[in-house]
């Protein structure tokens, strides 16, 4: 490889930050930077991955069962709202019992287990048990079964990974979905409400661990090969067609190695974690599930969501649980900022033990970033670093990560140990790069789609994420990069100007803060930009006394709300060619079934514009309707 510049550069420094930050637990690491003649920048961590004796999550269980047997490994709310727990000792025993039962059901590397329901203690046991004995698991979004009317996506994922068995938390809500799968003789495992031929969860947990069964269990575990499939996660692009991402045992081991090494300082603290992020996605199901198991902490399953009427549960849980790390999506951080400002008890609990915050799914607005910091300073006299990264399902949720406090919101860091990054300059002259990655955590291909697999990797074996970034400091790439949107979401105005959708969206949300939660940027084949946006209902209701109890339909058309948005548009860079000139607020939330939004909150811009084309047309009428906020 010929390079015009190469060298070893220190890891991202904290810089001359005016504020005081609580120390993080990360070791200082160096980033190797190499610049090619064509402007391509290569980055890699100078520190190789750690060498561990454990080769996956289940191998951590015996040590925690011995050292922390009576302490809770997982906790979740029961039907009465009380915390129920599973200790480390019971977790290890149940994993062995359920793993044995899976083998006796005939499951194996070519006979996968599909999980239709959401996060639960039982699902944690099942995921770990299946991984321990070599049975691939396929966690599926519950929305495919509970929200969908035609079950088209559920059938699509079943075609990619035909289930040899199906798991549900409760049988009755999934009855229609199970019928739609038409799995023949495949057994259905239900924690509650099992009927007929369905298997009751208690049967699996009660499997007696005889000497013969223990030998079979050990043999099955020993026979696992690194390249075999451990988990299949499903992701969908703009078409909405699910793609099966096969994560191998070596991919999952790379994640475990990362946590055991990078977060080693947390191990003796017996950390707690609270998380709602779904386990059928990489961030929740691979990263956040792994960290508790590897570090021997307690994983509290959050029954809240960043949605009106559900976020109150997360607030209640955070008053009782002081997490060591707290990760969520930007929409949740927006809602949490408001709660922290008015609830000192919540603030004291959240900031008590935490060493770093993080977010995923989209960029965090600067306004929210600053409000969280102000709340921390008012409560504990120091800030908590937002240590976030950039990754995807295909990279097992790993890639680059920011390990230092920064005065700049949005820095997603530098490569983790074992990660190599390629930054390819994009056209437009605005300093953006397409980012690509390779390393032991990167998947080997999409299930039954060699065409998509071939297109996903370049000729040097780097995976193409489809994301754009900018260097935080163009003079020093080792200071990290900032997320700059999805390359595939960009479009041109009629005058030929490129619209960087991610940057424009984030700018609009910040400009209109706190009145809107998210936006879809419109303007393809037009000569100016406009946006569809979802209101922050609580903030909009505070605009006028008569709006205190108003519903979403009333709010999005009320003159007080429209005028407030209009004033914020006029307060921006009205003369800039990439300023958003019109905004139309929407009462209907983004639809999971229509592929408008992923479970973790990322809005699919193209799918939303297509589904709501009539609203896009309304934005660009020569004489806009009164409920369309216009800058001029």
């Amino acid at each position: 490889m010929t390079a015009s510049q190469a060298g070893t550069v220190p890891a991202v420094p904290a810089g001359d930050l005016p504020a005081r930050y609580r120390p993080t637990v990360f070791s200082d690491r160096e980033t190797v930077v190499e610049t090619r003649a064509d402007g391509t920048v290569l980055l890699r961590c100078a520190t190789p991955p750690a060498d561990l004796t454990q080769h996956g999550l289940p191998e951590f269980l015996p040590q925690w069962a011995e050292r922390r047997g009576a302490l809770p490994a997982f906790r979740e709310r029961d039907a009465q709202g009380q915390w129920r727990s599973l200790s480390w000792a019971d977790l290890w025993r149940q994993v062995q019992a359920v793993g044995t039962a899976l083998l006796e059901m005939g499951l194996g590397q070519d006979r996968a287990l599909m999980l239709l329901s959401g996060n639960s203690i039982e699902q944690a046991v099942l995921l770990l048990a299946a991984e321990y004995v070599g049975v691939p698991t396929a966690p599926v979004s519950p929305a495919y079964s509970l929200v969908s009317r035609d079950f088209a996506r559920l059938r699509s994922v079943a075609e990619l990974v035909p289930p040899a068995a199906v798991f549900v938390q409760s049988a009755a809500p999934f009855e229609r979905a199970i019928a739609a799968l038409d799995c023949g003789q495949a057994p259905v495992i239900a924690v509650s409400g099992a009927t007929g031929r369905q298997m009751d969860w208690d049967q699996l947990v009660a499997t007696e661990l005889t000497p013969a069964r223990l030998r079979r269990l050990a043999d099955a575990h020993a026979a696992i090969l690194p390249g075999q499939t451990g988990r299949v996660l499903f992701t969908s692009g703009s078409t909405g067609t699910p793609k099966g991402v096969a994560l191998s045992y070596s991919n999952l081991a790379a994640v475990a190695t990362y946590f055991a090494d990078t977060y080693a300082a947390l191990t003796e603290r017996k950390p707690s974690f609270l998380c709602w992020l779904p386990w059928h996605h990489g961030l929740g199901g691979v990263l956040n599930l792994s960290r508790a198991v590897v570090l021997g902490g307690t994983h509290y399953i959050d029954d809240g969501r960043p949605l009106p009427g559900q976020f109150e549960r997360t607030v209640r849980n955070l008053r009782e649980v002081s997490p060591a790390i707290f990760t969520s999506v930007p929409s949740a951080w927006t809602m949490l900022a408001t709660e922290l400002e008015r609830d000192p008890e919540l603030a004291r609990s959240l900031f008590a033990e935490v060493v770093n915050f993080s977010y995923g799914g989209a960029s965090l607005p600067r306004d929210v970033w600053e409000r969280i910091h102000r709340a921390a300073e008012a409560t504990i006299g120091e800030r908590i670093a937002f240590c976030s990264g950039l990754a995807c399902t295909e990279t097992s949720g790993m890639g680059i990560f920011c390990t230092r406090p920064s005065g700049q919101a949005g820095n997603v860091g530098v490569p983790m140990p074992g990660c190599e990054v390629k930054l390819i300059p994009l056209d437009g002259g605005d300093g953006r790069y397409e980012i690509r990655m390779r390393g032991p955590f990167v998947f080997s291909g999409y299930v039954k789609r060699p065409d998509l697999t071939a297109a996903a990797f370049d000729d040097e074996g780097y995976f193409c994420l489809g994301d754009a970034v900018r260097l935080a400091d163009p003079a020093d790439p080792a200071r990290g990069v900032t997320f700059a949107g999805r390359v595939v979401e960009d479009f041109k105005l009629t005058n030929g100007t490129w619209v960087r959708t991610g940057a424009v969206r984030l700018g609009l949300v910040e400009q209109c803060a706190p009145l809107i939660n998210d936006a879809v940027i419109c303007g393809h084949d037009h000569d100016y930009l406009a946006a569809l946006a979802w209101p922050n209902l609580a903030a909009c209701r505070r605009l006028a006394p008569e709006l205190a109890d108003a519903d979403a339909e009333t709010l999005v058309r009320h003159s007080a709300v429209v005028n407030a948005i209009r004033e914020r548009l006029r307060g921006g860079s009205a003369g800039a060619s990439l300023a958003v000139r019109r905004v139309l607020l929407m009462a209907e939330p983004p639809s999971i079934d229509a592929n408008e939004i992923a479970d973790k909150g990322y809005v699919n811009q193209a799918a939303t514009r297509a589904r709501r084309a009539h609203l896009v047309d309304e934005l660009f009428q020569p004489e806009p309707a009164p409920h369309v906020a216009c800058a001029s």
Side-chain angles (χ1 to χ4, degrees):
M1 181 186 304
T2 302
S4 59
Q5 175 188 346
T8 301
V9 186
V12 185
D16 297 323
L17 298 174
R20 175 186 172 190
Y21 281 81
R22 176 175 291 175
T24 63
V25 297
F26 306 110
S27 302
D28 288 331
R29 286 182 172 135
E30 295 181 335
T31 298
V32 177
V33 181
E34 181 177 341
T35 304
R36 292 176 174 173
D38 63 359
T40 296
V41 179
L42 303 178
L43 304 172
R44 64 177 176 84
C45 182
T47 306
D51 185 14
L52 299 183
T53 57
Q54 297 91 347
H55 299 289
L57 292 189
E59 295 188 9
F60 287 87
L61 300 183
Q63 73 176 42
W64 297 131
E66 181 179 350
R67 293 172 55 186
R68 298 178 180 171
L71 295 179
F74 290 93
R75 302 194 78 188
E76 68 175 326
R77 298 280 187 184
D78 61 20
Q80 289 72 44
Q82 302 301 310
W83 291 111
R84 69 183 184 104
S85 303
L86 182 67
S87 70
W88 282 105
D90 285 340
L91 173 62
W92 175 225
R93 181 189 59 78
Q94 290 191 15
V95 163
Q96 294 176 87
V98 173
T100 297
L102 296 179
L103 292 175
E104 293 180 356
M105 290 164 57
L107 274 61
Q109 187 61 205
D110 297 322
R111 291 176 53 78
L113 171 66
M114 183 169 286
L115 298 82
L116 302 186
S117 50
N119 305 4
S120 69
I121 288 177
E122 289 79 15
Q123 184 167 142
V125 172
L126 195 58
L127 287 169
L128 292 167
E131 184 178 335
Y132 189 69
V133 297
V135 176
T137 52
V140 177
S141 169
Y144 291 6
S145 298
L146 301 178
V147 179
S148 178
R149 296 181 179 179
D150 58 10
F151 302 112
R153 288 205 210 171
L154 183 61
R155 291 191 182 97
S156 294
V157 300
E159 289 175 3
L160 293 175
V161 184
V166 176
F167 170 83
V168 293
Q169 190 72 19
S170 180
F174 292 89
E175 184 177 350
R176 291 178 59 246
I178 293 169
L181 281 175
D182 191 20
C183 297
Q185 299 301 309
V188 174
I189 305 165
V191 177
S192 63
T195 59
R197 294 178 51 253
Q198 295 178 346
M199 300 185 65
D200 189 281
W201 174 256
D202 289 341
Q203 292 178 245
L204 275 67
V205 175
T207 302
E208 183 182 358
L209 293 172
T210 64
R213 281 173 166 165
L214 287 172
R215 284 194 297 272
R216 184 180 181 187
L217 193 72
D219 290 344
H221 181 67
I224 295 172
L225 300 176
Q228 290 180 326
T229 300
R231 193 98 54 94
V232 179
L233 301 181
F234 298 96
T235 181
S236 59
S238 59
T239 63
T241 303
K243 295 178 290 185
V245 177
L247 299 182
S248 68
Y249 277 86
S250 61
N251 295 150
L252 299 175
V255 177
T257 299
Y258 166 74
F259 278 106
D261 178 30
T262 305
Y263 285 91
L266 280 184
T267 302
E268 296 308 317
R269 299 190 189 186
K270 302 175 184 177
S272 294
F273 307 99
L274 176 77
C275 184
W276 67 271
L277 289 162
W279 292 346
H280 57 271
H281 278 300
L283 179 54
V286 178
L287 287 192
N288 290 358
L289 188 61
S290 295
R291 70 186 178 191
V293 174
V294 171
L295 300 176
T298 300
H299 184 105
Y300 287 78
I301 299 173
D302 183 10
D303 57 343
R305 293 290 184 275
L307 296 169
Q310 298 186 45
F311 193 66
E312 293 82 354
R313 301 175 197 166
T314 294
V315 171
R316 175 187 63 171
N317 293 336
L318 281 173
R319 289 196 192 102
E320 299 181 24
V321 180
S322 295
I325 301 169
F326 188 67
T327 304
S328 201
V329 297
S331 60
W333 281 110
T334 301
M335 300 171 81
L336 186 58
T338 300
E339 296 298 329
L340 290 170
E341 290 165 345
R342 65 188 186 190
D343 189 339
E345 179 188 352
L346 171 67
R348 285 191 294 271
S349 180
L350 176 63
F351 298 126
E353 302 290 338
V354 70
V355 296
N356 72 266
F357 293 139
S358 62
Y359 56 90
S363 298
L364 185 69
R366 175 82 188 194
D367 168 72
V368 176
W369 186 82
E370 291 176 341
R371 290 167 66 196
I372 298 294
H373 283 321
R374 286 197 296 268
E377 288 174 323
T379 305
I380 58 173
E382 58 188 359
R383 295 183 172 192
I384 304 298
F386 274 96
C387 298
S388 293
L390 180 62
C392 62
T393 304
E394 290 88 340
T395 66
S396 308
M398 294 182 61
I400 60 175
F401 192 68
C402 182
T403 60
R404 292 290 178 269
S406 172
Q408 175 186 19
N411 192 320
V412 291
V414 293
M416 302 171 175
C419 177
E420 299 175 79
V421 165
K422 181 194 289 187
L423 304 178
I424 301 175
L426 290 169
D427 295 336
D430 59 353
R432 297 201 323 155
Y433 295 81
E434 180 198 343
I435 184 170
R436 302 177 179 181
M437 297 179 186
R438 69 182 182 189
F441 50 84
V442 177
F443 83 136
S444 58
Y446 296 106
V447 177
K448 298 180 181 178
R449 291 301 303 269
D451 55 331
L452 294 178
T453 300
F457 293 88
D458 67 14
D459 56 2
E460 292 183 301
Y462 286 88
F463 173 69
C464 306
L465 282 75
D467 290 326
V469 298
R470 287 189 176 89
L471 296 175
D473 180 354
D476 187 358
R479 290 182 179 269
V481 301
T482 59
F483 180 67
R486 295 281 295 165
V487 175
V488 294
E489 291 180 346
D490 295 346
F491 59 85
K492 283 185 179 181
L493 297 174
T494 53
N495 63 10
T497 302
W498 270 107
V499 177
R500 309 306 189 191
T501 301
V504 174
R505 171 200 155 274
L506 182 61
L508 178 65
V509 172
E510 292 178 346
Q511 184 179 348
C512 294
L515 299 179
I516 65 174
N517 285 331
D518 213 332
V520 174
I521 305 303
C522 308
H524 182 70
D525 290 336
H526 293 277
D527 58 3
Y528 63 91
L529 290 179
L532 304 175
W534 287 280
N536 179 329
L537 300 181
C540 291
R541 288 176 179 135
R542 290 195 293 269
L543 290 173
E546 66 269 23
L547 297 179
D549 298 315
D551 60 17
E553 291 285 355
T554 300
L555 288 171
V556 300
R557 290 176 174 267
H558 197 280
S559 59
V561 177
V562 175
N563 289 337
I565 297 292
R566 180 182 295 116
E567 290 305 310
R568 282 163 171 76
L569 294 181
R570 290 174 175 172
S573 303
S577 61
L578 293 181
V580 174
R581 300 188 188 180
R582 296 181 178 181
V583 170
L584 189 157
L585 295 178
M586 301 175 290
E588 181 197 2
S591 167
I592 290 179
D593 208 28
N595 196 39
E596 288 186 322
I597 190 171
D599 299 83
K600 60 184 180 180
Y602 186 81
V603 172
N604 185 319
Q605 299 268 321
T608 305
R609 286 194 296 263
R611 181 172 179 265
R612 307 185 190 223
H614 62 292
L615 298 181
V616 177
D617 290 341
E618 195 172 342
L619 275 171
F620 292 98
Q621 291 299 312
E623 295 296 329
H627 59 273
V628 176
C630 302
S632 59

